[in-house]
Structure formats: structure tokens, C-alpha cells
Amino acid sequence: MIDLHCHIVPMIDDGAQNAAVACEMAAHAYRSGVRTIVATPHCNLRGARKNYRGRSYTEVFSLFCALLRQHGLPIQILPGSELFAHPSNLRRLLDERRIVTLNHSRYLLTEFNFSSRGDDISDALALIARRGLVPVVAHPERYTAVQHDPRLVARWFAKGYIIQLNKGSLLGRLGHSAQITAEELLAAGLAHVIASDAHDMQYRPTGFHSLLPYLREHCPAEYIKLLLETNPRRIIEDRHIPLPNHKILLP
């Protein structure tokens, strides 16, 4: 399995707070069957390092990979970031190509303020797409606009934007509204990827061991493979993700 969204690099954002925690997160993920993690520190988020593409990012990422090798942890770590799409500088960052995409592919993991208007999110996603990138919408089930109108996600899905749900939302760890919305989107087939969005080992841990029983109860095996293996691999290999041939069932 591949975890496409994980705050595992230590001391770079609000994720792993030290090297020991980061190693524990990697080891736990590996034991649960995850073989590849895309490290996605917050980018352009107030209160965290900027984590833009450049020497500083490369050095921190390389040191972390070396740390895992030193501890004998065989899990593959790939570069990425979680861009906070702030309207004040999004266009400039895109034009200057300062953002670390998922494994340097065309796919850009993007998050928004939870209270953002649906139209504002749509406009930002369209801007990203016009720059030749494919937006990967991080945890849309957590946005108030989507909770009020899940059909927003259906429109993004139809445009070819990638929808990434959080493991914690489906397990009820990120609030009731996020859980209900994530379940609705999953049932409608409006998810391309499920990721851990792990930050630690206590509240938001790595791995999919706790998620798999839920998925096996609610999803066919081929859909589970698509969410945790096939689509994440397409993304890190910079391949196209085709639109599925199923009807979207939303009221």
C-alpha cells in the first residue's frame, strides 16, 4: 500500500515532533503493509516552515531518508508537500514553480481553510489546473462547504481533480460531520485515494490496519485496491487517472 499524505518528516511542521516519533511512524506504517509514504509537510501555512522547493527542503528531506536507512527501516519515502492555497500568493507560487508536487509529478496536494467558500475553492483548483497541474484535493470532507453540499466534490471529480479522503474521517476521529461526509463521498464513488494524513502516533497515526476492516465492510475489494494502491501508484509515477465508468449517486 501507498500513503500519499503523511506529515512524517520530523520538526518541519506540526507532524512528527522529533526523530524518534518519525521512525516509530515509519515502522508502524511498514508493519501495517504500507511500503511507500509520500512525505507531505505543510507548505505555505502560517506558523509552519514554508517548505517551498529549494535547497532547504532538499536537505531536510535527504537527512530524514538517511535517518531511516540508519535505523534499518526499509520503507520508501518520496518527496511532496501539502500546499495551503492562500489567495494572496497562490498564483505567484505557481508561476514561480516553488511548490513541491507529489514525487515531483504533475499532481499537487492542496488544502484550504476549513471555512472557505465552495466557489473560492473551485476557483483555486481551476487556477492550479490551468498551470498544467492536477489538483489533489486534501480531505474535502473536512471543509464546511462540502459538508453542506457534497455535490461540490462531484463537480471537481468530473473535472479530473483527484479527491483524497482521510483515514481518520472515515473512522470518526475528525468529527461527526467529516465522518458523515466522507462516508457519503465514498459510497458515491467520489474518492480516488485514502491517505493517513498522519501527524503522530497517538492521535493521528500512520498505517491502514485500523481502516481495512471498515473498507472491507463497505467497499468491494477492487475499489479498496484502487484507493490504497493503484491510484496512489499512478500519482507517484505521474500517470493519468481515468474517470471511472460508474454513475455518481448523490442527492
Side-chain angles (χ1 to χ4, degrees):
M1 293 181 286
I2 299 169
D3 190 354
L4 207 69
H5 180 176
C6 185
H7 298 265
I8 192 170
V9 180
M11 298 174 289
I12 195 171
D13 64 359
D14 62 344
Q17 292 303 296
N18 54 55
V21 171
C23 288
E24 187 180 359
M25 290 170 70
H28 180 76
Y30 190 83
R31 288 194 300 269
S32 78
V34 174
R35 293 297 175 260
T36 300
I37 291 176
V38 183
T40 54
H42 288 292
C43 171
N44 203 41
L45 185 65
R46 182 178 298 174
R49 295 189 191 181
K50 293 179 180 179
N51 297 321
Y52 300 136
R53 190 176 71 174
R55 177 185 237 173
S56 176
Y57 176 94
T58 301
E59 288 177 351
V60 169
F61 179 79
S62 298
L63 284 171
F64 177 58
C65 292
L67 173 72
L68 294 184
R69 289 194 298 271
Q70 185 179 29
H71 283 77
L73 294 168
I75 197 163
Q76 181 184 37
I77 305 293
L78 299 176
S81 67
E82 182 183 17
L83 172 71
F84 186 82
H86 199 287
S88 68
N89 67 350
L90 175 61
R91 187 182 302 273
R92 176 170 57 83
L93 291 176
L94 293 170
D95 288 344
E96 294 176 356
R97 300 182 180 275
R98 297 183 64 193
I99 304 163
V100 184
T101 57
L102 298 174
N103 197 32
H104 303 304
S105 68
R106 79 194 82 170
Y107 293 94
L108 175 61
L109 183 65
T110 310
E111 71 167 334
F112 299 86
N113 190 297
F114 290 169
S115 60
S116 293
R117 295 172 60 250
D119 287 346
D120 292 338
I121 297 176
S122 295
D123 288 346
L125 295 174
L127 175 62
I128 292 167
R130 287 197 298 270
R131 294 303 189 272
L133 298 171
V134 180
V136 179
V137 187
H139 44 61
E141 73 278 2
R142 304 189 73 189
Y143 305 141
T144 302
V146 173
Q147 293 171 0
H148 290 162
D149 184 9
R151 290 171 297 181
L152 279 168
V153 174
R155 292 197 283 273
W156 301 336
F157 191 98
K159 289 179 180 293
Y161 306 159
I162 304 305
I163 307 303
Q164 178 255 302
L165 304 182
N166 271 12
K167 172 187 77 171
S169 297
L170 289 165
L171 296 178
R173 297 173 181 171
L174 299 174
H176 181 68
S177 295
Q179 180 180 16
I180 295 301
T181 305
E183 290 174 347
E184 187 173 1
L185 296 175
L186 187 68
L190 285 172
H192 295 91
V193 175
I194 296 175
S196 74
D197 193 5
H199 282 64
D200 52 48
M201 280 304 300
Q202 186 173 5
Y203 301 108
R204 297 172 69 178
T206 50
F208 297 121
H209 181 74
S210 59
L211 177 69
L212 287 173
Y214 172 90
L215 291 180
R216 288 169 181 149
E217 182 179 349
H218 293 89
C219 303
E222 59 269 23
Y223 191 27
I224 299 173
K225 184 173 182 179
L226 198 70
L227 293 164
L228 299 178
E229 297 181 43
T230 305
N231 280 341
R233 183 158 299 283
R234 286 168 170 161
I235 288 170
I236 64 175
E237 293 179 353
D238 202 18
R239 293 190 282 127
H240 175 65
I241 296 181
L243 287 170
N245 297 316
H246 61 65
K247 289 184 177 180
I248 295 171
L249 302 175
L250 280 176

